[in-house]
Amino acid sequence: MFVATDKNGTPSIDSVSLAIIEQLQEDGRRPYAAIGKAVGLSEAAVRQRVQKLLDQGVMQIVAVTDPLTVGFRRQAMVGINVEGDLDPVADALTAMDEVEYVVMTAGSFDLLIEIVCEDDDHLLQMINKRIRTLPGVRSTESFVYLKLRKQTYTWGTR
Amino acid sequence: MFVATDKNGTPSIDSVSLAIIEQLQEDGRRPYAAIGKAVGLSEAAVRQRVQKLLDQGVMQIVAVTDPLTVGFRRQAMVGINVEGDLDPVADALTAMDEVEYVVMTAGSFDLLIEIVCEDDDHLLQMINKRIRTLPGVRSTESFVYLKLRKQTYTWGTR
DNA sequence: ACCCATAACTGCGGAATCCGTTAGATCGGA
DNA sequence: TCCGATCTAACGGATTCCGCAGTTATGGGT
């Protein structure tokens, strides 16, 4: 299927789809008809656009929680320095279930990743046996989470 | 209203609510009846539990996106070192709209925050004028996002 | 400017879901 | 024992979902 993209190959989102996303950032279960009324589209049109945004991977509608609040698991941010091409390392990390978040950055780390583990042993295993042994990984630095204070998803709604 | 809590004051979640959350992590719009069938509860009971989880703030159902993919804004992770009590600094950061994520960590940063800005100017303003000037902030280090590679919310589903 | 193909939108009707509400059963704590 | 919380089962009406047919808009290509 054809997907409109800009010059960087990223899907292009118009202001209407943006408005739909904002509605769903406030409430992921908001009815299509209510969204349509808010953005000036028919219910069916909203439904089609939401489906396409989901199919394209631009947006996902999910329940989010704070794992620590829910009462289990050990979480950490890990800064990683790599020699050579970043992509293979990022690919390998992305494939790991325990890794929730992978971002390439400009700064004193090449990659920042967030990992969620069962306990301290699991965390140690991940960092020591699976991440630090990846070819190209030069060094890592870990930041174990003590308390999550804020977590929002409402950018664009301000 | 009374809310059951464990000895740390965090809401207690039993395995059934956990299973409901997992269902909604896969699809935030999944019908209550389908969830009930999956977790062994009636539709009405699922509805009540979901409502309570939302009311308690244990879970939220939202659309999530990658702001960079959507085509705008400048994002960064900022590591912060503080002298003295962390709480007032964390509180001040939490109150800022541009700050999406605030976590207290053990490691070479006391706080890690994620910020979303309009552009480079806005980012510079935030870091230089609003964050580094907070009383107690000793130093900051910024990691500007180049590319988000992975972002999942399905912990507990493995 | 014209035509065509495709995408996008509207309107509609039937099926499914949502949601408030009953009544009764069960369990644990004060 | 009594009270509150939670669950099931079963409604019924309002709402929502969803596929489809038909129409309009859009963007090349000539």
Side-chain angles (χ1 to χ4, degrees):
Chain A
M1 182 180 116
F2 175 74
V3 174
T5 59
D6 66 13
K7 54 186 177 300
N8 299 320
T10 54
S12 53
I13 312 295
D14 63 17
S15 62
V16 178
S17 288
L18 218 49
I20 293 174
I21 292 174
E22 287 180 15
Q23 292 288 316
L24 290 170
Q25 282 173 332
E26 290 177 13
D27 176 7
R29 287 183 92 97
R30 185 162 295 168
Y32 296 133
I35 298 171
K37 190 164 296 182
V39 307
L41 236 54
S42 70
E43 178 265 349
V46 172
R47 181 155 35 95
Q48 288 163 18
R49 291 178 87 122
V50 167
Q51 194 55 54
K52 193 196 290 193
L53 289 169
L54 295 174
D55 289 342
Q56 287 178 176
V58 172
M59 164 186 84
Q60 42 185 330
I61 301 174
V62 293
V64 292
T65 61
D66 169 13
L68 297 182
T69 296
V70 172
F72 64 123
R73 315 244 172 180
R74 179 59 94 207
Q75 237 180 319
M77 186 78 71
V78 181
I80 302 176
N81 281 106
V82 175
E83 54 187 17
D85 190 359
L86 277 180
D87 280 320
V89 177
D91 288 340
L93 291 167
T94 296
M96 298 181 188
D97 281 344
E98 292 89 345
V99 176
E100 275 207 328
Y101 198 71
V102 176
V103 61
M104 298 176 169
T105 68
S108 66
F109 295 125
D110 297 314
L111 293 170
L112 280 173
I113 70 171
E114 190 181 71
I115 57 182
V116 178
C117 294
E118 310 287 342
D119 50 34
D120 288 330
D121 277 347
H122 189 193
L123 179 59
L124 181 61
Q125 286 283 325
M126 284 299 299
I127 293 171
N128 217 29
K129 303 296 182 187
R130 304 210 31 215
I131 296 174
R132 295 178 65 88
T133 56
L134 284 176
V137 170
R138 197 195 303 261
S139 63
T140 69
E141 183 170 353
S142 304
F143 305 90
V144 174
Y145 284 15
L146 299 178
K147 180 155 191 60
L148 185 55
R149 287 294 300 270
K150 184 181 186 180
Q151 186 186 30
T152 60
Y153 307 91
T154 53
W155 59 269
T157 314
R158 55 173 193 254
Chain B
M1 182 184 118
F2 175 74
V3 174
T5 59
D6 65 14
K7 54 187 176 298
N8 299 320
T10 55
S12 52
I13 313 293
D14 63 17
S15 63
V16 178
S17 288
L18 218 48
I20 292 174
I21 292 174
E22 287 179 15
Q23 292 288 315
L24 290 170
Q25 281 173 334
E26 290 177 15
D27 176 6
R29 284 191 163 246
R30 184 161 296 169
Y32 296 133
I35 297 171
K37 190 165 296 182
V39 307
L41 235 54
S42 69
E43 179 263 353
V46 171
R47 185 153 33 96
Q48 288 167 25
R49 289 178 91 120
V50 167
Q51 193 56 53
K52 193 196 298 194
L53 289 170
L54 295 174
D55 290 343
Q56 287 178 177
V58 172
M59 161 186 86
Q60 40 185 332
I61 301 174
V62 294
V64 292
T65 60
D66 169 12
L68 298 181
T69 297
V70 172
F72 64 124
R73 317 247 170 174
R74 178 61 92 207
Q75 239 181 316
M77 187 76 70
V78 182
I80 302 175
N81 281 106
V82 175
E83 54 187 17
D85 190 0
L86 277 180
D87 281 319
V89 177
D91 288 339
L93 292 166
T94 297
M96 297 180 188
D97 281 344
E98 292 89 345
V99 176
E100 275 206 326
Y101 198 73
V102 176
V103 61
M104 298 177 170
T105 68
S108 67
F109 294 125
D110 297 314
L111 292 172
L112 280 173
I113 69 171
E114 190 181 70
I115 58 183
V116 179
C117 294
E118 310 285 341
D119 50 35
D120 289 330
D121 277 348
H122 189 192
L123 178 59
L124 180 61
Q125 286 284 325
M126 284 298 299
I127 293 170
N128 217 27
K129 304 296 183 188
R130 305 214 25 221
I131 296 173
R132 295 178 63 89
T133 58
L134 284 176
V137 170
R138 196 194 306 260
S139 63
T140 69
E141 184 170 353
S142 303
F143 305 91
V144 173
Y145 285 15
L146 299 178
K147 182 156 190 58
L148 185 55
R149 289 294 302 270
K150 183 182 188 180
Q151 187 186 29
T152 59
Y153 306 92
T154 53
W155 59 268
T157 313
R158 54 174 193 255

